[in-house]
Short mmCIF file of all heavy atoms in Angstrom, two decimals:
data_model
loop_
_atom_site.label_atom_id
_atom_site.label_comp_id
_atom_site.label_asym_id
_atom_site.label_seq_id
_atom_site.Cartn_x
_atom_site.Cartn_y
_atom_site.Cartn_z
N MET A 1 -258.22 -123.07 -100.98
CA MET A 1 -257.54 -122.21 -100.04
C MET A 1 -256.42 -121.59 -100.95
O MET A 1 -255.66 -122.16 -101.61
CB MET A 1 -256.89 -122.92 -98.90
CG MET A 1 -256.54 -121.96 -97.84
SD MET A 1 -255.93 -122.87 -96.37
CE MET A 1 -254.37 -122.24 -96.01
N ALA A 2 -256.46 -120.27 -100.74
CA ALA A 2 -255.34 -119.45 -101.52
C ALA A 2 -254.34 -118.85 -100.62
O ALA A 2 -254.61 -118.59 -99.48
CB ALA A 2 -256.12 -118.40 -102.37
N VAL A 3 -253.14 -118.50 -101.11
CA VAL A 3 -252.14 -117.88 -100.28
C VAL A 3 -252.19 -116.41 -100.80
O VAL A 3 -251.94 -116.08 -102.01
CB VAL A 3 -250.78 -118.38 -100.54
CG1 VAL A 3 -249.72 -117.64 -99.80
CG2 VAL A 3 -250.82 -119.94 -100.15
N THR A 4 -252.52 -115.51 -99.91
CA THR A 4 -252.64 -114.06 -100.28
C THR A 4 -251.80 -113.14 -99.44
O THR A 4 -251.95 -111.78 -99.56
CB THR A 4 -254.03 -113.60 -100.27
OG1 THR A 4 -254.56 -113.83 -98.95
CG2 THR A 4 -254.96 -114.41 -101.20
N LYS A 5 -251.02 -113.69 -98.50
CA LYS A 5 -250.40 -112.77 -97.57
C LYS A 5 -249.18 -113.37 -96.88
O LYS A 5 -249.07 -114.65 -96.78
CB LYS A 5 -251.30 -112.25 -96.52
CG LYS A 5 -251.90 -113.42 -95.53
CD LYS A 5 -252.92 -112.90 -94.52
CE LYS A 5 -254.29 -113.21 -95.07
NZ LYS A 5 -255.43 -112.82 -94.19
N CYS A 6 -248.39 -112.47 -96.22
CA CYS A 6 -247.28 -112.89 -95.31
C CYS A 6 -248.13 -112.99 -93.90
O CYS A 6 -248.42 -112.00 -93.32
CB CYS A 6 -246.21 -111.94 -95.29
SG CYS A 6 -244.95 -112.31 -93.86
N VAL A 7 -248.29 -114.16 -93.44
CA VAL A 7 -249.10 -114.32 -92.13
C VAL A 7 -248.27 -113.71 -91.03
O VAL A 7 -248.87 -113.06 -90.12
CB VAL A 7 -249.39 -115.83 -91.95
CG1 VAL A 7 -250.08 -116.02 -90.60
CG2 VAL A 7 -250.33 -116.31 -93.06
N CYS A 8 -247.03 -113.99 -90.98
CA CYS A 8 -246.13 -113.50 -89.87
C CYS A 8 -246.03 -112.11 -89.63
O CYS A 8 -246.17 -111.54 -88.62
CB CYS A 8 -244.67 -113.99 -90.04
SG CYS A 8 -244.58 -115.82 -90.17
N PHE A 9 -246.11 -111.50 -90.86
CA PHE A 9 -246.06 -109.96 -90.63
C PHE A 9 -247.34 -109.20 -91.02
O PHE A 9 -247.39 -108.01 -91.24
CB PHE A 9 -244.84 -109.42 -91.53
CG PHE A 9 -243.63 -109.64 -90.91
CD1 PHE A 9 -242.99 -110.88 -91.13
CD2 PHE A 9 -242.99 -108.81 -89.94
CE1 PHE A 9 -241.77 -111.23 -90.52
CE2 PHE A 9 -241.75 -109.13 -89.45
CZ PHE A 9 -241.05 -110.42 -89.58
N LYS A 10 -248.43 -109.99 -91.23
CA LYS A 10 -249.69 -109.59 -91.43
C LYS A 10 -249.85 -108.44 -92.60
O LYS A 10 -250.47 -107.45 -92.51
CB LYS A 10 -250.36 -108.89 -90.16
CG LYS A 10 -250.37 -109.91 -88.99
CD LYS A 10 -250.96 -109.30 -87.75
CE LYS A 10 -251.19 -110.32 -86.72
NZ LYS A 10 -250.00 -110.94 -86.13
N LYS A 11 -249.13 -108.83 -93.69
CA LYS A 11 -249.31 -107.98 -94.90
C LYS A 11 -249.76 -108.78 -96.10
O LYS A 11 -249.19 -109.83 -96.49
CB LYS A 11 -247.94 -107.40 -95.33
CG LYS A 11 -247.21 -106.46 -94.22
CD LYS A 11 -247.80 -105.15 -94.32
CE LYS A 11 -247.08 -104.18 -93.27
NZ LYS A 11 -248.00 -103.22 -92.85
N THR A 12 -250.90 -108.37 -96.74
CA THR A 12 -251.24 -109.04 -97.95
C THR A 12 -250.34 -108.65 -99.07
O THR A 12 -249.77 -107.67 -99.02
CB THR A 12 -252.76 -108.61 -98.32
OG1 THR A 12 -252.77 -107.23 -98.71
CG2 THR A 12 -253.58 -108.86 -97.11
N PHE A 13 -250.34 -109.61 -100.05
CA PHE A 13 -249.50 -109.38 -101.28
C PHE A 13 -250.14 -108.05 -101.99
O PHE A 13 -249.40 -107.31 -102.64
CB PHE A 13 -249.54 -110.46 -102.17
CG PHE A 13 -248.98 -111.75 -101.54
CD1 PHE A 13 -249.36 -113.05 -101.83
CD2 PHE A 13 -247.98 -111.69 -100.49
CE1 PHE A 13 -248.82 -114.18 -101.32
CE2 PHE A 13 -247.49 -112.84 -99.96
CZ PHE A 13 -247.85 -114.05 -100.34
N ALA A 14 -251.48 -107.89 -101.82
CA ALA A 14 -252.08 -106.69 -102.46
C ALA A 14 -251.65 -105.42 -101.81
O ALA A 14 -251.59 -104.42 -102.38
CB ALA A 14 -253.58 -106.85 -102.40
N GLN A 15 -251.21 -105.48 -100.53
CA GLN A 15 -250.62 -104.39 -99.91
C GLN A 15 -249.13 -104.19 -100.32
O GLN A 15 -248.72 -103.06 -100.37
CB GLN A 15 -250.74 -104.49 -98.36
CG GLN A 15 -252.09 -104.38 -97.82
CD GLN A 15 -252.17 -104.85 -96.36
OE1 GLN A 15 -251.57 -105.79 -95.86
NE2 GLN A 15 -252.69 -103.90 -95.45
N LEU A 16 -248.50 -105.31 -100.39
CA LEU A 16 -247.05 -105.21 -100.71
C LEU A 16 -246.79 -104.86 -102.17
O LEU A 16 -245.81 -104.14 -102.49
CB LEU A 16 -246.44 -106.54 -100.41
CG LEU A 16 -246.33 -106.99 -99.02
CD1 LEU A 16 -245.94 -108.59 -98.84
CD2 LEU A 16 -245.43 -106.12 -98.16
N LEU A 17 -247.65 -105.25 -103.12
CA LEU A 17 -247.24 -104.98 -104.55
C LEU A 17 -247.07 -103.50 -104.95
O LEU A 17 -246.20 -103.17 -105.64
CB LEU A 17 -248.31 -105.67 -105.51
CG LEU A 17 -248.03 -105.71 -106.91
CD1 LEU A 17 -246.74 -106.42 -107.31
CD2 LEU A 17 -249.25 -106.31 -107.74
N PRO A 18 -247.91 -102.65 -104.44
CA PRO A 18 -247.75 -101.15 -104.59
C PRO A 18 -246.42 -100.68 -104.10
O PRO A 18 -245.84 -99.82 -104.73
CB PRO A 18 -248.99 -100.50 -104.05
CG PRO A 18 -250.07 -101.61 -103.98
CD PRO A 18 -249.22 -102.87 -103.74
N LEU A 19 -246.09 -101.25 -102.97
CA LEU A 19 -244.78 -100.73 -102.39
C LEU A 19 -243.56 -101.34 -103.25
O LEU A 19 -242.75 -100.54 -103.48
CB LEU A 19 -244.67 -101.48 -101.06
CG LEU A 19 -245.12 -100.74 -99.78
CD1 LEU A 19 -244.89 -101.57 -98.53
CD2 LEU A 19 -244.23 -99.40 -99.71
N VAL A 20 -243.72 -102.49 -103.70
CA VAL A 20 -242.76 -103.10 -104.65
C VAL A 20 -242.55 -102.23 -105.73
O VAL A 20 -241.42 -101.88 -106.14
CB VAL A 20 -243.12 -104.54 -105.03
CG1 VAL A 20 -242.29 -105.06 -106.15
CG2 VAL A 20 -242.96 -105.48 -103.82
N ARG A 21 -243.67 -101.85 -106.29
CA ARG A 21 -243.54 -101.08 -107.57
C ARG A 21 -243.06 -99.54 -107.28
O ARG A 21 -242.30 -99.09 -108.00
CB ARG A 21 -244.98 -100.98 -108.22
CG ARG A 21 -245.32 -102.41 -108.85
CD ARG A 21 -246.53 -102.41 -109.58
NE ARG A 21 -246.66 -103.61 -110.34
CZ ARG A 21 -247.87 -104.18 -110.59
NH1 ARG A 21 -249.04 -103.62 -110.06
NH2 ARG A 21 -247.98 -105.34 -111.20
N ALA A 22 -243.43 -99.12 -106.27
CA ALA A 22 -243.00 -97.61 -105.85
C ALA A 22 -241.58 -97.64 -105.54
O ALA A 22 -240.91 -96.65 -105.83
CB ALA A 22 -243.80 -97.18 -104.74
N LYS A 23 -241.10 -98.67 -104.86
CA LYS A 23 -239.70 -98.59 -104.40
C LYS A 23 -238.72 -99.31 -105.47
O LYS A 23 -237.53 -99.20 -105.33
CB LYS A 23 -239.57 -99.40 -103.08
CG LYS A 23 -240.42 -98.87 -101.90
CD LYS A 23 -239.87 -97.74 -101.55
CE LYS A 23 -240.61 -97.25 -100.22
NZ LYS A 23 -240.07 -95.85 -99.74
N GLY A 24 -239.35 -99.97 -106.41
CA GLY A 24 -238.55 -100.56 -107.55
C GLY A 24 -237.82 -101.81 -106.96
O GLY A 24 -236.80 -102.23 -107.61
N TRP A 25 -238.35 -102.48 -105.92
CA TRP A 25 -237.64 -103.80 -105.51
C TRP A 25 -237.89 -104.77 -106.56
O TRP A 25 -238.92 -105.06 -107.03
CB TRP A 25 -238.26 -104.18 -104.19
CG TRP A 25 -238.25 -103.25 -103.11
CD1 TRP A 25 -237.23 -102.34 -102.97
CD2 TRP A 25 -239.07 -103.02 -102.04
NE1 TRP A 25 -237.36 -101.67 -101.67
CE2 TRP A 25 -238.58 -101.99 -101.06
CE3 TRP A 25 -240.36 -103.60 -101.75
CZ2 TRP A 25 -239.24 -101.50 -99.99
CZ3 TRP A 25 -240.95 -103.12 -100.56
CH2 TRP A 25 -240.49 -102.11 -99.81
N THR A 26 -236.80 -105.59 -106.75
CA THR A 26 -236.88 -106.66 -107.63
C THR A 26 -236.57 -108.09 -107.12
O THR A 26 -236.64 -109.11 -107.77
CB THR A 26 -235.88 -106.39 -108.82
OG1 THR A 26 -234.61 -106.28 -108.37
CG2 THR A 26 -236.28 -105.18 -109.72
N THR A 27 -236.16 -108.04 -105.80
CA THR A 27 -235.79 -109.36 -105.15
C THR A 27 -236.54 -109.45 -103.80
O THR A 27 -236.96 -108.41 -103.16
CB THR A 27 -234.33 -109.26 -104.80
OG1 THR A 27 -233.90 -108.30 -103.83
CG2 THR A 27 -233.39 -109.16 -106.06
N VAL A 28 -236.72 -110.72 -103.35
CA VAL A 28 -237.18 -110.94 -102.16
C VAL A 28 -236.42 -110.33 -100.92
O VAL A 28 -237.05 -109.85 -100.03
CB VAL A 28 -237.48 -112.49 -101.88
CG1 VAL A 28 -238.01 -112.71 -100.50
CG2 VAL A 28 -238.47 -113.06 -102.84
N ALA A 29 -235.10 -110.28 -101.01
CA ALA A 29 -234.28 -109.79 -100.19
C ALA A 29 -234.54 -108.29 -99.82
O ALA A 29 -234.57 -107.80 -98.79
CB ALA A 29 -232.81 -110.03 -100.39
N GLU A 30 -234.68 -107.55 -100.89
CA GLU A 30 -235.03 -106.07 -100.87
C GLU A 30 -236.33 -105.98 -100.06
O GLU A 30 -236.58 -105.05 -99.17
CB GLU A 30 -235.14 -105.53 -102.18
CG GLU A 30 -233.74 -105.49 -102.84
CD GLU A 30 -233.92 -104.83 -104.34
OE1 GLU A 30 -234.73 -105.46 -105.14
OE2 GLU A 30 -233.13 -104.00 -104.70
N LEU A 31 -237.36 -106.65 -100.56
CA LEU A 31 -238.69 -106.66 -99.93
C LEU A 31 -238.61 -106.90 -98.47
O LEU A 31 -239.27 -106.34 -97.48
CB LEU A 31 -239.62 -107.45 -100.76
CG LEU A 31 -241.19 -107.43 -100.47
CD1 LEU A 31 -241.90 -108.20 -101.60
CD2 LEU A 31 -241.53 -108.00 -99.20
N SER A 32 -237.90 -108.07 -98.13
CA SER A 32 -237.83 -108.54 -96.74
C SER A 32 -237.06 -107.62 -95.94
O SER A 32 -237.45 -107.37 -94.75
CB SER A 32 -237.05 -109.90 -96.65
OG SER A 32 -237.85 -110.81 -97.43
N ARG A 33 -236.08 -106.92 -96.34
CA ARG A 33 -235.18 -105.91 -95.61
C ARG A 33 -236.17 -104.81 -95.14
O ARG A 33 -236.05 -104.33 -94.06
CB ARG A 33 -233.95 -105.47 -96.45
CG ARG A 33 -232.83 -105.01 -95.60
CD ARG A 33 -231.69 -104.74 -96.44
NE ARG A 33 -231.74 -104.61 -97.87
CZ ARG A 33 -231.42 -105.67 -98.65
NH1 ARG A 33 -230.85 -106.72 -98.24
NH2 ARG A 33 -231.38 -105.48 -100.01
N ALA A 34 -237.03 -104.43 -96.03
CA ALA A 34 -237.81 -103.17 -95.74
C ALA A 34 -239.21 -103.55 -95.03
O ALA A 34 -239.50 -102.72 -94.25
CB ALA A 34 -238.23 -102.51 -97.09
N THR A 35 -239.71 -104.70 -95.26
CA THR A 35 -241.02 -105.00 -94.59
C THR A 35 -240.87 -106.12 -93.58
O THR A 35 -241.79 -106.24 -92.79
CB THR A 35 -242.00 -105.43 -95.63
OG1 THR A 35 -241.51 -106.69 -96.16
CG2 THR A 35 -242.14 -104.39 -96.73
N GLY A 36 -239.89 -106.86 -93.56
CA GLY A 36 -239.87 -108.05 -92.66
C GLY A 36 -240.49 -109.37 -93.24
O GLY A 36 -240.13 -110.36 -92.79
N CYS A 37 -241.32 -109.14 -94.29
CA CYS A 37 -242.06 -110.21 -94.87
C CYS A 37 -241.12 -111.20 -95.42
O CYS A 37 -240.11 -110.77 -96.17
CB CYS A 37 -243.12 -109.71 -95.92
SG CYS A 37 -244.38 -108.71 -95.24
N GLY A 38 -241.10 -112.52 -95.06
CA GLY A 38 -240.25 -113.55 -95.62
C GLY A 38 -239.13 -113.89 -94.51
O GLY A 38 -238.52 -114.82 -94.69
N THR A 39 -239.08 -113.05 -93.46
CA THR A 39 -238.03 -113.28 -92.39
C THR A 39 -238.51 -113.96 -91.23
O THR A 39 -237.80 -114.20 -90.31
CB THR A 39 -237.37 -111.98 -92.09
OG1 THR A 39 -238.23 -111.18 -91.39
CG2 THR A 39 -236.76 -111.32 -93.24
N GLY A 40 -239.82 -114.30 -91.14
CA GLY A 40 -240.39 -115.06 -90.03
C GLY A 40 -240.32 -116.53 -90.33
O GLY A 40 -239.10 -117.16 -90.36
N CYS A 41 -241.33 -117.20 -90.58
CA CYS A 41 -241.32 -118.60 -90.92
C CYS A 41 -240.73 -118.92 -92.19
O CYS A 41 -240.31 -120.04 -92.43
CB CYS A 41 -242.73 -119.30 -90.76
SG CYS A 41 -243.69 -118.79 -92.06
N GLY A 42 -240.74 -117.98 -93.14
CA GLY A 42 -240.18 -118.11 -94.45
C GLY A 42 -241.20 -118.73 -95.44
O GLY A 42 -240.92 -118.89 -96.66
N GLY A 43 -242.40 -119.20 -94.92
CA GLY A 43 -243.29 -120.01 -95.83
C GLY A 43 -243.77 -119.06 -97.00
O GLY A 43 -244.26 -119.56 -98.10
N CYS A 44 -243.73 -117.81 -96.80
CA CYS A 44 -244.27 -116.81 -97.92
C CYS A 44 -243.24 -116.51 -99.06
O CYS A 44 -243.54 -116.05 -100.09
CB CYS A 44 -244.89 -115.64 -97.37
SG CYS A 44 -243.54 -114.56 -96.56
N LYS A 45 -242.06 -116.96 -98.80
CA LYS A 45 -240.95 -116.55 -99.75
C LYS A 45 -241.07 -117.00 -101.14
O LYS A 45 -241.01 -116.16 -102.11
CB LYS A 45 -239.61 -117.02 -99.20
CG LYS A 45 -239.11 -116.22 -97.95
CD LYS A 45 -237.98 -116.71 -97.30
CE LYS A 45 -236.73 -116.04 -98.04
NZ LYS A 45 -235.48 -116.39 -97.38
N PRO A 46 -241.56 -118.25 -101.44
CA PRO A 46 -241.82 -118.63 -102.80
C PRO A 46 -242.95 -117.76 -103.44
O PRO A 46 -242.91 -117.42 -104.63
CB PRO A 46 -242.23 -120.07 -102.73
CG PRO A 46 -241.72 -120.60 -101.48
CD PRO A 46 -241.79 -119.38 -100.44
N TYR A 47 -243.96 -117.35 -102.56
CA TYR A 47 -245.04 -116.59 -103.13
C TYR A 47 -244.59 -115.19 -103.32
O TYR A 47 -245.01 -114.52 -104.26
CB TYR A 47 -246.24 -116.68 -102.15
CG TYR A 47 -246.60 -118.09 -101.90
CD1 TYR A 47 -246.30 -118.75 -100.78
CD2 TYR A 47 -247.42 -118.77 -102.87
CE1 TYR A 47 -246.64 -120.15 -100.51
CE2 TYR A 47 -247.82 -120.04 -102.62
CZ TYR A 47 -247.40 -120.72 -101.54
OH TYR A 47 -247.75 -122.06 -101.28
N LEU A 48 -243.76 -114.61 -102.49
CA LEU A 48 -243.40 -113.31 -102.62
C LEU A 48 -242.37 -113.25 -103.92
O LEU A 48 -242.50 -112.28 -104.68
CB LEU A 48 -242.27 -112.89 -101.47
CG LEU A 48 -243.10 -112.76 -100.14
CD1 LEU A 48 -242.05 -112.42 -98.99
CD2 LEU A 48 -244.07 -111.69 -100.21
N ALA A 49 -241.55 -114.28 -104.18
CA ALA A 49 -240.84 -114.32 -105.35
C ALA A 49 -241.78 -114.43 -106.62
O ALA A 49 -241.51 -113.70 -107.60
CB ALA A 49 -239.87 -115.55 -105.33
N ALA A 50 -242.78 -115.08 -106.60
CA ALA A 50 -243.82 -115.27 -107.74
C ALA A 50 -244.42 -113.90 -107.81
O ALA A 50 -244.62 -113.42 -108.94
CB ALA A 50 -244.82 -116.36 -107.38
N MET A 51 -244.79 -113.24 -106.77
CA MET A 51 -245.50 -111.86 -106.90
C MET A 51 -244.45 -110.90 -107.56
O MET A 51 -244.90 -110.18 -108.44
CB MET A 51 -245.80 -111.29 -105.50
CG MET A 51 -246.52 -109.98 -105.59
SD MET A 51 -246.57 -109.32 -103.85
CE MET A 51 -244.86 -108.94 -103.45
N LEU A 52 -243.15 -110.80 -107.25
CA LEU A 52 -242.21 -110.10 -107.94
C LEU A 52 -242.02 -110.29 -109.34
O LEU A 52 -241.92 -109.33 -110.18
CB LEU A 52 -240.88 -110.18 -107.11
CG LEU A 52 -240.72 -109.54 -105.78
CD1 LEU A 52 -239.50 -110.08 -105.01
CD2 LEU A 52 -240.80 -108.09 -105.70
N ALA A 53 -242.25 -111.69 -109.67
CA ALA A 53 -241.97 -112.00 -111.11
C ALA A 53 -243.27 -111.84 -111.97
O ALA A 53 -243.07 -111.51 -113.09
CB ALA A 53 -241.59 -113.51 -111.04
N THR A 54 -244.40 -111.83 -111.28
CA THR A 54 -245.68 -111.90 -112.18
C THR A 54 -246.64 -110.75 -111.82
O THR A 54 -247.42 -110.47 -112.67
CB THR A 54 -246.38 -113.31 -111.94
OG1 THR A 54 -246.89 -113.22 -110.65
CG2 THR A 54 -245.56 -114.52 -112.08
N GLY A 55 -246.60 -110.25 -110.66
CA GLY A 55 -247.49 -109.11 -110.23
C GLY A 55 -248.77 -109.78 -109.78
O GLY A 55 -249.70 -108.99 -109.50
N HIS A 56 -248.93 -110.99 -109.70
CA HIS A 56 -250.18 -111.57 -109.11
C HIS A 56 -250.10 -111.51 -107.58
O HIS A 56 -249.00 -111.68 -107.01
CB HIS A 56 -250.26 -113.11 -109.63
CG HIS A 56 -250.63 -113.27 -111.05
ND1 HIS A 56 -251.88 -112.96 -111.50
CD2 HIS A 56 -249.93 -113.52 -111.99
CE1 HIS A 56 -251.90 -113.21 -112.81
NE2 HIS A 56 -250.71 -113.51 -113.13
N VAL A 57 -251.30 -111.35 -107.05
CA VAL A 57 -251.28 -111.31 -105.58
C VAL A 57 -252.09 -112.43 -104.85
O VAL A 57 -252.48 -112.36 -103.60
CB VAL A 57 -251.94 -109.97 -105.12
CG1 VAL A 57 -251.09 -108.84 -105.62
CG2 VAL A 57 -253.33 -109.85 -105.67
N CYS A 58 -252.37 -113.55 -105.54
CA CYS A 58 -253.17 -114.62 -104.98
C CYS A 58 -252.65 -115.92 -105.71
O CYS A 58 -252.41 -116.08 -106.92
CB CYS A 58 -254.61 -114.37 -105.25
SG CYS A 58 -255.67 -115.82 -104.67
N TYR A 59 -252.29 -116.94 -104.92
CA TYR A 59 -251.74 -118.14 -105.43
C TYR A 59 -252.38 -119.50 -104.87
O TYR A 59 -252.78 -119.33 -103.66
CB TYR A 59 -250.15 -118.19 -105.10
CG TYR A 59 -249.42 -117.07 -105.80
CD1 TYR A 59 -249.19 -115.86 -105.22
CD2 TYR A 59 -249.09 -117.33 -107.15
CE1 TYR A 59 -248.79 -114.81 -105.89
CE2 TYR A 59 -248.40 -116.29 -107.78
CZ TYR A 59 -248.30 -115.10 -107.21
OH TYR A 59 -247.69 -113.99 -108.01
N ARG A 60 -252.41 -120.45 -105.65
CA ARG A 60 -252.71 -121.73 -105.02
C ARG A 60 -251.72 -122.27 -104.06
O ARG A 60 -250.50 -121.86 -104.21
CB ARG A 60 -252.81 -122.78 -106.18
CG ARG A 60 -253.94 -122.51 -107.11
CD ARG A 60 -254.11 -123.60 -108.07
NE ARG A 60 -254.94 -123.27 -109.30
CZ ARG A 60 -256.10 -122.89 -109.20
NH1 ARG A 60 -256.74 -122.86 -108.09
NH2 ARG A 60 -256.69 -122.47 -110.32
N VAL A 61 -252.12 -123.03 -103.05
CA VAL A 61 -251.15 -123.60 -102.03
C VAL A 61 -250.16 -124.38 -102.76
O VAL A 61 -250.53 -125.28 -103.64
CB VAL A 61 -251.93 -124.29 -100.84
CG1 VAL A 61 -250.88 -124.98 -100.05
CG2 VAL A 61 -252.75 -123.37 -100.07
N LYS A 62 -248.86 -124.20 -102.56
CA LYS A 62 -247.78 -124.84 -103.17
C LYS A 62 -247.41 -126.07 -102.49
O LYS A 62 -247.21 -126.14 -101.27
CB LYS A 62 -246.69 -123.95 -103.23
CG LYS A 62 -245.44 -124.30 -103.93
CD LYS A 62 -244.46 -123.08 -104.00
CE LYS A 62 -243.06 -123.50 -104.01
NZ LYS A 62 -242.67 -124.46 -104.85
N MET A 63 -247.41 -127.25 -103.13
CA MET A 63 -247.17 -128.64 -102.48
C MET A 63 -245.89 -129.20 -103.01
O MET A 63 -245.62 -130.31 -102.73
CB MET A 63 -248.30 -129.48 -102.54
CG MET A 63 -249.57 -128.90 -101.95
SD MET A 63 -249.51 -128.54 -100.18
CE MET A 63 -249.57 -130.13 -99.47
N ASP A 64 -245.16 -128.60 -103.90
CA ASP A 64 -244.07 -129.19 -104.53
C ASP A 64 -243.00 -128.10 -104.87
O ASP A 64 -243.13 -126.97 -104.50
CB ASP A 64 -244.38 -130.03 -105.78
CG ASP A 64 -245.17 -129.13 -106.73
OD1 ASP A 64 -245.01 -127.99 -106.86
OD2 ASP A 64 -246.02 -129.78 -107.59
N ALA A 65 -242.05 -128.44 -105.69
CA ALA A 65 -241.01 -127.45 -105.99
C ALA A 65 -241.28 -126.58 -107.29
O ALA A 65 -240.58 -125.68 -107.51
CB ALA A 65 -239.75 -128.20 -106.30
N ALA A 66 -242.59 -126.89 -107.78
CA ALA A 66 -242.97 -125.95 -108.86
C ALA A 66 -243.27 -124.60 -108.45
O ALA A 66 -243.69 -124.31 -107.22
CB ALA A 66 -244.15 -126.60 -109.59
N PRO A 67 -243.13 -123.61 -109.38
CA PRO A 67 -243.42 -122.21 -108.90
C PRO A 67 -244.98 -122.18 -108.59
O PRO A 67 -245.68 -122.74 -109.19
CB PRO A 67 -243.07 -121.42 -110.33
CG PRO A 67 -242.18 -122.23 -111.05
CD PRO A 67 -242.56 -123.71 -110.64
N PRO A 68 -245.23 -121.19 -107.65
CA PRO A 68 -246.73 -121.16 -107.38
C PRO A 68 -247.53 -120.66 -108.47
O PRO A 68 -247.06 -119.94 -109.36
CB PRO A 68 -246.64 -119.92 -106.32
CG PRO A 68 -245.25 -120.07 -105.68
CD PRO A 68 -244.33 -120.34 -106.92
N GLU A 69 -248.84 -121.18 -108.59
CA GLU A 69 -249.61 -120.80 -109.62
C GLU A 69 -250.63 -119.75 -109.11
O GLU A 69 -251.21 -119.78 -108.20
CB GLU A 69 -250.41 -121.97 -110.19
CG GLU A 69 -249.67 -123.12 -110.74
CD GLU A 69 -250.66 -124.38 -111.05
OE1 GLU A 69 -251.94 -124.03 -111.38
OE2 GLU A 69 -250.18 -125.36 -110.89
N PRO A 70 -250.82 -118.71 -109.95
CA PRO A 70 -251.72 -117.61 -109.55
C PRO A 70 -253.23 -118.29 -109.50
O PRO A 70 -253.53 -119.16 -110.22
CB PRO A 70 -251.67 -116.57 -110.73
CG PRO A 70 -250.43 -116.84 -111.31
CD PRO A 70 -250.17 -118.34 -111.24
N CYS A 71 -254.02 -117.65 -108.75
CA CYS A 71 -255.55 -118.05 -108.69
C CYS A 71 -256.32 -116.91 -108.30
O CYS A 71 -255.75 -115.83 -107.91
CB CYS A 71 -255.68 -119.23 -107.69
SG CYS A 71 -255.41 -118.72 -106.03
N ALA A 72 -257.67 -117.03 -108.27
CA ALA A 72 -258.55 -116.02 -107.95
C ALA A 72 -258.73 -116.06 -106.50
O ALA A 72 -258.77 -117.20 -105.96
CB ALA A 72 -259.91 -116.09 -108.74
N PRO A 73 -258.78 -114.88 -105.67
CA PRO A 73 -258.97 -115.08 -104.23
C PRO A 73 -260.29 -115.50 -103.84
O PRO A 73 -261.33 -115.32 -104.64
CB PRO A 73 -258.71 -113.72 -103.70
CG PRO A 73 -258.88 -112.73 -104.83
CD PRO A 73 -258.57 -113.60 -106.13
N ASP A 74 -260.41 -116.34 -102.80
CA ASP A 74 -261.70 -116.74 -102.28
C ASP A 74 -262.20 -115.58 -101.60
O ASP A 74 -261.58 -114.73 -101.04
CB ASP A 74 -261.58 -118.01 -101.30
CG ASP A 74 -261.09 -119.16 -102.18
OD1 ASP A 74 -261.78 -119.53 -103.20
OD2 ASP A 74 -260.26 -119.93 -101.68
N PRO A 75 -263.49 -115.54 -101.25
CA PRO A 75 -264.02 -114.29 -100.49
C PRO A 75 -263.35 -114.09 -99.23
O PRO A 75 -263.25 -113.02 -98.74
CB PRO A 75 -265.65 -114.63 -100.46
CG PRO A 75 -265.79 -115.72 -101.50
CD PRO A 75 -264.47 -116.46 -101.63
N TRP A 76 -263.08 -115.16 -98.48
CA TRP A 76 -262.45 -115.09 -97.18
C TRP A 76 -260.86 -114.77 -97.23
O TRP A 76 -260.34 -114.58 -96.16
CB TRP A 76 -262.81 -116.26 -96.42
CG TRP A 76 -262.31 -117.49 -97.09
CD1 TRP A 76 -260.99 -117.99 -97.09
CD2 TRP A 76 -263.08 -118.32 -97.87
NE1 TRP A 76 -261.08 -119.21 -97.79
CE2 TRP A 76 -262.15 -119.36 -98.30
CE3 TRP A 76 -264.50 -118.34 -98.19
CZ2 TRP A 76 -262.76 -120.39 -99.23
CZ3 TRP A 76 -264.88 -119.39 -99.21
CH2 TRP A 76 -263.96 -120.27 -99.54
N ASP A 77 -260.35 -114.60 -98.36
CA ASP A 77 -258.87 -114.42 -98.49
C ASP A 77 -258.50 -112.94 -98.67
O ASP A 77 -257.48 -112.72 -99.17
CB ASP A 77 -258.34 -115.23 -99.70
CG ASP A 77 -258.24 -116.72 -99.36
OD1 ASP A 77 -258.05 -117.02 -98.11
OD2 ASP A 77 -258.40 -117.51 -100.26
N SER A 78 -259.33 -111.97 -98.37
CA SER A 78 -259.01 -110.70 -98.67
C SER A 78 -258.20 -110.06 -97.34
O SER A 78 -258.23 -110.64 -96.38
CB SER A 78 -260.20 -109.79 -98.87
OG SER A 78 -261.08 -109.95 -97.77
S1 FES B 101 -245.65 -116.14 -93.77
FE1 FES B 101 -244.17 -114.64 -94.28
S2 FES B 101 -242.49 -114.92 -93.01
FE2 FES B 101 -244.04 -116.30 -92.22
#
């Protein structure tokens, strides 16, 4: 299973990344203020931070304090 979206606000990281680049956002706070993503359950915040840092839009489920690892999306994760 991969993490590819903010479930609470129904936005995929692939949808968010072009916005991030167009707006020049560099922090989760900027992204959250504009889209709401990260302000619901907050579970996507480490992945949003990783997306901002790396530009990847798919991550393995994170089970510890280590930064999320990018992965290839599964067919059902689009
Ligand atoms: S998954 Fe993004 S705020 Fe809940």
Side-chain angles (χ1 to χ4, degrees):
M1 189 167 134
V3 179
T4 60
K5 66 182 97 174
C6 171
V7 175
C8 296
F9 288 86
K10 299 180 175 63
K11 296 281 187 218
T12 66
F13 300 152
Q15 290 172 312
L16 292 170
L17 188 59
L19 265 178
V20 164
R21 290 184 171 150
K23 302 291 188 184
W25 298 327
T26 58
T27 66
V28 173
E30 290 172 310
L31 193 165
S32 295
R33 204 169 15 256
T35 67
C37 295
T39 64
C41 71
C44 64
K45 288 175 88 172
Y47 304 98
L48 293 174
M51 179 187 71
L52 288 165
T54 69
H56 290 283
V57 295
C58 182
Y59 295 92
R60 296 188 195 293
V61 174
K62 183 174 152 42
M63 301 300 285
D64 56 26
E69 292 177 35
C71 68
D74 292 314
W76 54 85
D77 284 328
S78 57

